Amino acid sequence: DGEHRVGLVPGDLRSAVEIAIYKHEMERRLRTSEAWLSATLRSIGDGVIATNSSGEIVFLNPIAQQLTGWPAAEAQGLLLMDVMGLFEESTGRQAKNPVYDLLGGETRNYSLVSRKGVKTPVEVSCFENQSDDEVLGMILVVRDVSARRELECRLIQSQRMEAVANLAGGLAHDFNNQLTVILGYAEELAGRLDD
């Protein structure tokens, strides 16, 4: 029945197909971009924690999950400081929320106590996650510095041992000089006594 059919004008059909193809291509690019971002964040050697503008956790990468002891699924929606057990290194007191305490890009050392009670020395940096006109939340980068601290302690110990060895070598040299003088006089005395 010709009266009830909706007719598509060939130009409208072409526009609808072009829009569908464009939309499909943009969705494919978005999925690809999200996959790259996700793989990158999972493979970073530091812990990455993202919060929304209300301070609730929206993402933890595997290293952050390991350091905090919180699986990402359980931590999502919780406030940052309910998941991160941060303590001031110098005083041992509970730390202030780094989102408010650190300047953009500033790094500070803390002790992080995981959900399971494991204490780890960490460096924490905090950055704003923002679009063109609004702050979307915060990104925290948490770096385990225990290996670096151990290497620093070994280096200090090595330097101390080297200093002790140099001191002992210097004392031995001085002692040998004194012994040489004493032995010289002893030989001279022995030679006079024989006469």
Side-chain angles (χ1 to χ4, degrees):
D1 174 29
E3 293 178 22
H4 291 70
R5 276 196 235 165
V6 175
L8 282 177
V9 177
D12 291 343
L13 179 58
R14 181 181 181 93
S15 294
V17 169
E18 287 175 355
I19 290 171
I21 289 172
Y22 178 78
K23 182 179 175 186
H24 174 73
E25 178 61 21
M26 290 300 108
E27 288 173 353
R28 186 191 67 75
R29 285 185 183 179
L30 180 60
R31 283 191 307 273
T32 301
S33 178
E34 286 176 347
W36 276 104
L37 178 61
S38 178
T40 301
L41 290 175
R42 282 193 316 270
S43 66
I44 289 176
D46 294 335
V48 177
I49 302 172
T51 68
N52 61 19
S53 59
S54 300
E56 298 168 338
I57 293 177
V58 294
F59 175 82
L60 278 93
N61 76 345
I63 300 297
Q65 292 176 58
Q66 179 185 342
L67 288 170
T68 63
W70 283 84
E74 289 183 40
Q76 282 185 355
L78 296 178
L79 293 174
L80 176 67
M81 294 307 282
D82 290 342
V83 172
M84 287 188 69
L86 286 181
F87 293 86
E88 296 289 341
E89 243 187 349
S90 57
T91 63
R93 288 185 290 190
Q94 189 163 9
K96 296 177 185 173
N97 187 332
V99 167
Y100 306 115
D101 203 31
L102 296 179
L103 301 173
E106 179 184 0
T107 299
R108 189 172 300 165
N109 292 331
Y110 296 96
S111 292
L112 174 65
V113 178
S114 75
R115 186 180 191 185
K116 298 172 185 172
V118 177
K119 187 176 180 181
T120 307
V122 295
E123 281 181 351
V124 177
S125 300
C126 192
F127 306 91
E128 279 187 351
N129 181 15
Q130 60 185 22
S131 67
D132 292 334
D133 57 348
E134 67 178 318
V135 174
L136 303 172
M138 300 300 285
I139 305 291
L140 283 91
V141 178
V142 183
R143 175 173 291 150
D144 179 348
V145 293
S146 54
R148 184 176 74 196
R149 294 263 174 93
E150 185 177 325
L151 286 174
E152 288 171 352
C153 286
R154 286 183 185 177
L155 177 62
I156 290 170
Q157 184 65 23
S158 173
Q159 290 171 340
R160 286 179 182 165
M161 294 301 288
E162 185 179 341
V164 168
N166 287 339
L167 179 62
L171 289 174
H173 180 72
D174 289 345
F175 190 68
N176 281 338
N177 286 345
Q178 296 299 325
L179 283 178
T180 301
V181 170
I182 291 171
L183 286 173
Y185 284 129
E187 286 177 10
E188 186 178 323
L189 276 172
R192 285 184 189 173
L193 291 176
D194 284 342
D195 291 340

